[in-house]
Amino acid sequence: MAGEREIRELTVDLGERSYPIYIGAGLLERAGALFAQRGLPVKSPLLLVTDASVADRYAGIVESSLRAAGYAVSRAVVPSGESSKSLGRFDDLITAALEAGLDRRSTVIALGGGVVGDLAGFVAATYMRGVRFVQIPTTILAHDSSVGGKVAVNHRLAKNIIGAFHQPEFVLYDLNTLTSLPAREVKSGLAEVVKHGLIWDAAFVEWCDSNAQRLLALDPDALGYALYEGCKVKAAVVSRDERENDLRAILNLGHTIGHALEAVGRYGELLHGEAIAIGMVGSARLAARFGYAGEIAETTERLFRKIGLPVRIPAGYDTEAIMKAMLHDKKFMEGQMVFVVPTAIGTVEIRSDVPAAWVREIVEGLKEEAGVR
Amino acid sequence: MAGEREIRELTVDLGERSYPIYIGAGLLERAGALFAQRGLPVKSPLLLVTDASVADRYAGIVESSLRAAGYAVSRAVVPSGESSKSLGRFDDLITAALEAGLDRRSTVIALGGGVVGDLAGFVAATYMRGVRFVQIPTTILAHDSSVGGKVAVNHRLAKNIIGAFHQPEFVLYDLNTLTSLPAREVKSGLAEVVKHGLIWDAAFVEWCDSNAQRLLALDPDALGYALYEGCKVKAAVVSRDERENDLRAILNLGHTIGHALEAVGRYGELLHGEAIAIGMVGSARLAARFGYAGEIAETTERLFRKIGLPVRIPAGYDTEAIMKAMLHDKKFMEGQMVFVVPTAIGTVEIRSDVPAAWVREIVEGLKEEAGVR
Ligand SMILES: NC(=O)c1ccc[n+]([C@@H]2O[C@H](COP(=O)([O-])OP(=O)(O)OC[C@H]3O[C@@H](n4cnc5c(N)ncnc54)[C@H](O)[C@@H]3O)[C@@H](O)[C@H]2O)c1
Ligand SMILES: NC(=O)c1ccc[n+]([C@@H]2O[C@H](COP(=O)([O-])OP(=O)(O)OC[C@H]3O[C@@H](n4cnc5c(N)ncnc54)[C@H](O)[C@@H]3O)[C@@H](O)[C@H]2O)c1
Ligand SMILES: [Zn+2]
Ligand SMILES: [Zn+2]
């Protein structure tokens, strides 16, 4: 089928730091050729960072392709899961980079989901004050995390609090890798896909609604299109505001509540996409408090239910703990609460005048009663 | 005396990231006014990072001045010494920043020598992906480290290997703080002052030669002039090549050998300036091997002796350990040894064709025989 062979290409437009995103099936096998084509130095060793679930399936394919193109590549594997986004793992990877002999012209490669991308990206941003970086995302969620250059690790007290802006040389997205994704991860990733529609493109939200079943079944045509559209929104926003001075903050729709829920669940209970799905329902309810159409909240909630994402805060999550977690959030500034609030499906505004009392009420209202969903 | 009241001002010219350096006596007391004048946000809390030896003497002065100008400031104190440039201390400071409620508009202040500057600077570079940063150097050596935006922490296997480029908002250099510097630190700092002459300005090297005693006695006029000239060279080099693509590497004169000696001495035996003084003698001998005037090595060695700096590798330092430490150096690239080599007093070149055998011979030749200096 034509769709499976097709390579979609997009550009993240950042002047001299512009870079392409390639989306298609079977791209891992072509990694070596693409590295050479993009001019990545062949004399300096590469470090491929991946996680335990991805390594066995895909690292060998990438390494063989790179070696065939003349590159020397070492592999560093971290445990799967959010807990690897820590300073401890970061330290281990710096050790691995030194032991592999990486120099200033070397490239760090992230092969995996957003965890590996954020962690390896922070290594690339800081090793010798910055080396080249390539993103090879293997989750749906990573269509978001691999584009835009935000890299980070977590701190005990706050998520993503230690980080940098470090753009990749390019993003190589092989749709074939997504076939092994656990169903729960597929749904979690679709939360960020829908987010890109909710902030920027009402027609794409409708398309997601009509094609939810195809996406859940990992239909390659539907998936290729959805990831292309999602990346397109991300690229458009990032091109306009790389360092989050203003516009880029709209990408945080649902994330203020979402990050707090992840923290309260100790980064183990809710997946990132699940947490922000609940957060986006919360933001839509905030929109209603500001007088925008109640239909925003209804559509948001219905679409996430259709995908099989949670839309309620799990029973047992303490409201005060959630509120407290939000106070350490980057979007809390100068004593006021800042939220991204939808004004209609496909468009949002940033409000810095959100009363904490409203947020508390909405958090309370989103709580699942024990046994009920 | 006029010299003591005078404020010397310089600009580091980096387009929209340009910033001033203020050098003068009694500037700590004026910190608050300068922060306000430079437009640093008053609503967001500040974090003052300092070390145990500096805190008691000077932190209170800075904090009072800032509070009088309306700023809220918290203090974080790390132990004195190179070992504080670690990921562990970095982690502690991120905790301190979170607990002090720093937000994206906050400023991190480094009050201390190069250790505090590099460490606090890396916190400023990465906390929330980068916040504002002010350098208040309190050592002579820090005239070098506080200008140019290189910030870093060390790794067990290599010095300064984890870092970023993060320019300060400004540099505030109060000459009064230097009066409490231990004599050995004074000499160590003068090594970098002389380095700036050796790479850029023969007349300034001569001036240092003629004024060595005044500098060692911390004569405020001589010191103010020397720091101004040293910062001027640093600013000129950094303005031309912020990210060390080429020219900036000349600032590493003496550092390849110097860093290796610091590593072999476990960062506790030789001070940074002492290590690079020996390294600069080594580079000057390398110059002779390349056919440049033997007088370069003689002048370099004589001047460092006059200042009271070591010019020989301490007995017991193993040549192979030194060579091995150099292989992890950032300036070792693609299998070749890269060195900054003087071609005359006041000018250098970057050579990437230095045979490791020559380096080994020079290291051997620099070794102090037990009991002899
Ligand atoms: N930098 C950004 O702009 C940005 C944006 C959004 C999210 N994020 C971050 O991304 C992270 C979440 O990313 P994620 O959801 O991809 O999580 P993840 O990286 O943990 O991957 C999810 C799980 O799927 C496994 N996996 C990955 N690829 C697989 C494959 N092809 N087949 C089978 N299993 C596979 C992983 O081992 C992991 O267990 C969070 O830390 C979040 O903060 C960053
Ligand atoms: N970033 C750069 O471009 C750059 C350039 C050169 C050096 N450096 C780094 O700078 C560091 C060395 O800096 P340093 O020599 O200033 O070391 P330092 O910061 O350790 O200070 C030296 C000692 O003097 C004490 N001290 C500082 N100010 C004092 C004062 N006014 N009175 C009394 N005691 C005081 C300190 O507590 C410390 O014990 C090294 O880590 C080196 O890598 C960085
Ligand atoms: Zn997200
Ligand atoms: Zn130095």
Side-chain angles (χ1 to χ4, degrees), chain A residues 51-54 57-58 80-82 85 112-116 118 138-139 141-142 144-147 150-151 154 159-160 177-178 180-182 185 188 192 234 248 255 259 262 272, chain B residues 129:
Chain A
D51 77 18
S53 319
V54 176
R57 290 190 175 91
Y58 306 113
S80 297
E82 183 73 25
K85 266 175 65 175
V115 164
V116 163
D118 282 10
T138 67
T139 66
L141 193 134
D144 183 12
S145 57
S146 64
V147 175
K150 275 196 179 180
V151 296
N154 302 324
K159 195 174 145 73
N160 292 334
T177 63
L178 302 175
S180 55
L181 258 191
E185 297 292 348
S188 172
E192 297 269 23
K234 179 87 186 238
R248 186 168 177 160
H255 281 59
H259 283 164
E262 284 182 274
H272 181 67
Chain B
R129 300 197 179 82

Side-chain angles (χ1 to χ4, degrees), chain B residues 10 21 200-201 225 227-237:
Chain B
L10 267 168
I21 306 169
W200 199 259
D201 186 347
Y225 177 77
L227 294 176
Y228 176 83
E229 290 298 322
C231 289
K232 198 163 81 180
V233 173
K234 178 87 187 240
V237 172

Side-chain angles (χ1 to χ4, degrees), chain A residues 140 178-179 186 190 211-220 222-223:
Chain A
I140 294 176
L178 302 175
T179 55
V186 170
L190 290 174
N211 291 274
Q213 296 318 321
R214 288 175 71 205
L215 290 172
L216 289 168
L218 299 176
D219 172 294
L223 210 50

Side-chain angles (χ1 to χ4, degrees), chain A residues 69-90:
Chain A
Y71 289 93
V73 53
S74 299
R75 187 192 298 188
V77 183
V78 299
S80 297
E82 183 73 25
S83 63
S84 280
K85 266 175 65 175
S86 68
L87 275 183
R89 292 297 163 195
F90 168 76

Side-chain angles (χ1 to χ4, degrees), chain A residues 5-163:
Chain A
R5 298 272 152 265
E6 194 185 342
I7 298 188
R8 291 183 168 89
E9 189 177 336
L10 266 170
T11 301
V12 184
D13 202 348
L14 289 167
E16 58 178 21
R17 285 190 310 290
S18 294
Y19 55 92
I21 305 169
Y22 306 109
I23 304 172
L27 292 182
L28 292 190
E29 287 82 352
R30 296 166 59 179
L34 282 164
F35 272 63
Q37 187 187 312
R38 299 297 308 167
L40 292 174
V42 75
K43 285 191 195 165
S44 296
L46 315 182
L47 183 70
L48 178 94
V49 179
T50 186
D51 77 18
S53 319
V54 176
D56 292 344
R57 290 190 175 91
Y58 306 113
I61 305 174
V62 177
E63 288 162 359
S64 304
S65 174
L66 287 169
R67 288 186 185 126
Y71 289 93
V73 53
S74 299
R75 187 192 298 188
V77 183
V78 299
S80 297
E82 183 73 25
S83 63
S84 280
K85 266 175 65 175
S86 68
L87 275 183
R89 292 297 163 195
F90 168 76
D91 195 4
D92 293 345
L93 290 178
I94 297 288
T95 307
L98 282 164
E99 288 176 346
L102 266 68
D103 62 41
R104 288 181 61 186
R105 308 191 70 217
S106 286
T107 302
V108 173
I109 306 163
L111 173 70
V115 164
V116 163
D118 282 10
L119 172 65
F122 190 56
V123 171
T126 58
Y127 182 75
M128 294 184 171
R129 299 196 180 83
V131 295
R132 291 176 179 82
F133 179 42
V134 170
Q135 287 269 21
I136 310 187
T138 67
T139 66
I140 294 176
L141 193 134
H143 88 282
D144 183 12
S145 57
S146 64
V147 175
K150 275 196 179 180
V151 296
V153 297
N154 302 324
H155 180 279
R156 180 172 53 80
L157 298 174
K159 195 174 145 73
N160 292 334
I161 206 75
I162 304 167

